[in-house]
Amino acid sequence: MTPVVRLDGVSHRFGGPESAAAVADLDLDVPRGKFTTLLGPSGCGKTTTLRMIAGFLRPTAGRILLEGEDATATPPEKRNLGTVHQSYALFPHMSLTDNVAFGLRSRRLPADEVRRRAGEALELVGLSHAAARKPGELSGGQQQRVALARAVAIRPSVLLLDEPLSNLDARLRVQMRRELLRVQRETGLTAILVTHDQDEALELSDSMVILNGGRLEQEGDPREIFPAPANRFVAEFLGYDNFPDLPGTGPVTIRPEHVRLLPPDRGEGDDAVGLDATVTGVTYQGSHCLVEVATGEGPGATLRSVHPDDDLRPGDRVRVALPRHRLVHLAPSEAQAGSGEER
């Protein structure tokens, strides 16, 4: 099946040919009807990529194909894409219906179809009862739902979401994640979300694309990426903060919840690598404690473990057990291999 969006060797530089690439030689297929997230830290190239897909930026190199057709030079208004931004960008003097209908009227659709589609879109996001209100009468979460309804109403081939939840508080972000996923599932829209929030990406994604320094580090189903990050950058970004220096294994990582702490005289068994360690810190986190231990000196000598009890103190001696089947073997990051440095 032809992907809805295909990036073929796409690059973008904001300066001259000697400037660093914001996006470098990116190949990406966005499958139809799926939720794809572009994930990474600030400056990794995810928003630049979204803006190139939308047509607001032209690639320095490569091609962008929409529905199998070369759209690299197609202006934004002719791409049939819906966009939801961080700022809601609603017209404060218009009713919710008129805000949602704005894109439909610009397409010169018949008035009765404009009314019908605007009403359907507001109903989809649960705001049909507030159709006559103005945006200033709504909460931030409700305004974001209006922005989503406006983008969905035009029936875009792709829904582009540029960190739309970043201005909401934590509770509303969780609620809106569920709302976004519900709307995408009910409509069958192809959606591309830009985010720096790994929890957001893990919850929403059918496909997760992790970028670093303008380069693609890893992509795939989050259920496959999370337990098996390809390299240290991906591991650190997904919360792996243990990188033990184990002779003969090469670079490895392990999540804190998989590190077992045992009494110093207890064996770890054949299924685990054992290390003697000293507790250096204990942080109470409600349902558990995060325990930091030192196995020696050097960057790989500090390990963190999720421990169920508050029974350890700095200075205690323990035996660390690292289950062999939980050790993830890592490769160099793409950005590091491509540029000689992390960016």
Side-chain angles (χ1 to χ4, degrees):
M1 181 181 293
T2 302
V4 180
V5 179
R6 169 168 285 172
L7 305 186
D8 181 12
V10 167
S11 299
H12 185 81
R13 299 177 188 273
F14 284 103
E18 301 303 318
S19 62
V23 175
D25 197 26
L26 180 60
D27 293 321
L28 180 66
D29 286 350
V30 177
R32 187 179 307 278
K34 301 297 183 182
F35 208 123
T36 297
T37 56
L38 305 181
L39 177 66
S42 297
C44 72
K46 56 188 185 294
T47 295
T48 299
T49 299
L50 197 77
R51 287 174 59 79
M52 286 192 288
I53 293 171
F56 301 131
L57 288 176
R58 283 283 298 272
T60 308
R63 298 187 306 156
I64 296 174
L65 286 80
L66 300 177
E67 301 284 2
E69 300 293 329
D70 191 339
T72 310
T74 303
E77 65 274 13
K78 294 186 178 180
R79 296 194 181 200
N80 191 35
L81 305 176
T83 305
V84 181
H85 300 282
Q86 293 179 31
S87 60
Y88 316 126
L90 302 177
F91 298 107
H93 62 288
M94 291 184 180
S95 68
L96 303 194
T97 294
D98 287 338
N99 267 282
V100 173
F102 183 82
L104 299 169
R105 291 194 176 109
S106 69
R107 285 164 169 75
R108 303 185 184 282
L109 297 176
D112 58 343
E113 185 173 356
V114 169
R115 285 193 300 271
R116 179 176 59 80
R117 283 212 217 170
E120 289 173 351
L122 283 171
E123 184 175 359
L124 182 67
V125 299
L127 286 173
S128 56
H129 65 283
R133 294 185 190 174
K134 303 287 179 63
E137 302 174 53
L138 305 180
S139 68
Q142 289 172 321
Q143 290 184 48
Q144 193 59 282
R145 284 154 64 189
V146 177
L148 177 60
R150 181 178 56 191
V152 169
I154 65 171
R155 298 177 183 171
S157 58
V158 184
L159 179 63
L160 305 178
L161 303 155
D162 187 7
E163 302 215 42
L165 311 183
S166 61
N167 290 335
L168 304 178
D169 64 37
R171 181 180 60 84
L172 274 177
R173 280 202 302 273
V174 172
Q175 291 179 357
M176 279 302 299
R177 287 206 296 260
R178 296 169 184 158
E179 187 80 356
L180 278 176
L181 191 58
R182 179 187 65 79
V183 169
Q184 189 272 331
R185 295 293 189 253
E186 288 186 12
T187 60
L189 275 170
T190 302
I192 304 175
L193 169 71
V194 160
T195 182
H196 61 273
D197 186 327
Q198 58 161 298
D199 292 334
E200 200 166 282
L202 290 168
E203 181 175 342
L204 294 173
S205 301
D206 296 304
S207 178
M208 192 162 67
V209 178
I210 301 177
L211 300 174
N212 174 32
R215 297 178 182 275
L216 191 153
E217 295 284 359
Q218 192 171 1
E219 66 173 310
D221 188 316
R223 294 166 185 81
E224 297 173 356
I225 292 178
F226 189 77
N231 54 55
R232 180 159 180 159
F233 172 82
V234 176
E236 288 181 335
F237 197 77
L238 295 180
Y240 287 76
D241 54 2
N242 292 321
F243 299 91
D245 185 9
L246 303 178
T249 65
V252 295
T253 188
I254 186 169
R255 291 192 63 82
E257 58 265 32
H258 297 149
V259 176
R260 304 200 310 263
L261 300 182
L262 308 172
D265 56 353
R266 181 174 164 186
E268 66 279 354
D270 294 337
D271 65 333
V273 177
L275 300 168
D276 292 322
T278 302
V279 175
T280 57
V282 180
T283 304
Y284 177 71
Q285 296 188 338
S287 61
H288 62 269
C289 288
L290 185 65
V291 181
E292 188 172 283
V293 302
T295 62
E297 297 181 358
T302 298
L303 300 176
R304 293 173 180 85
S305 171
V306 172
H307 193 62
D309 302 313
D310 186 19
D311 59 351
L312 292 171
R313 298 291 182 270
D316 287 350
R317 298 288 297 169
V318 293
R319 184 73 172 167
V320 176
L322 308 178
R324 297 181 190 277
H325 71 286
R326 296 292 191 181
L327 292 172
V328 179
H329 295 263
L330 303 172
S333 81
E334 286 298 317
Q336 190 171 28
S339 67
E341 61 180 7
E342 292 283 1
R343 290 185 291 177

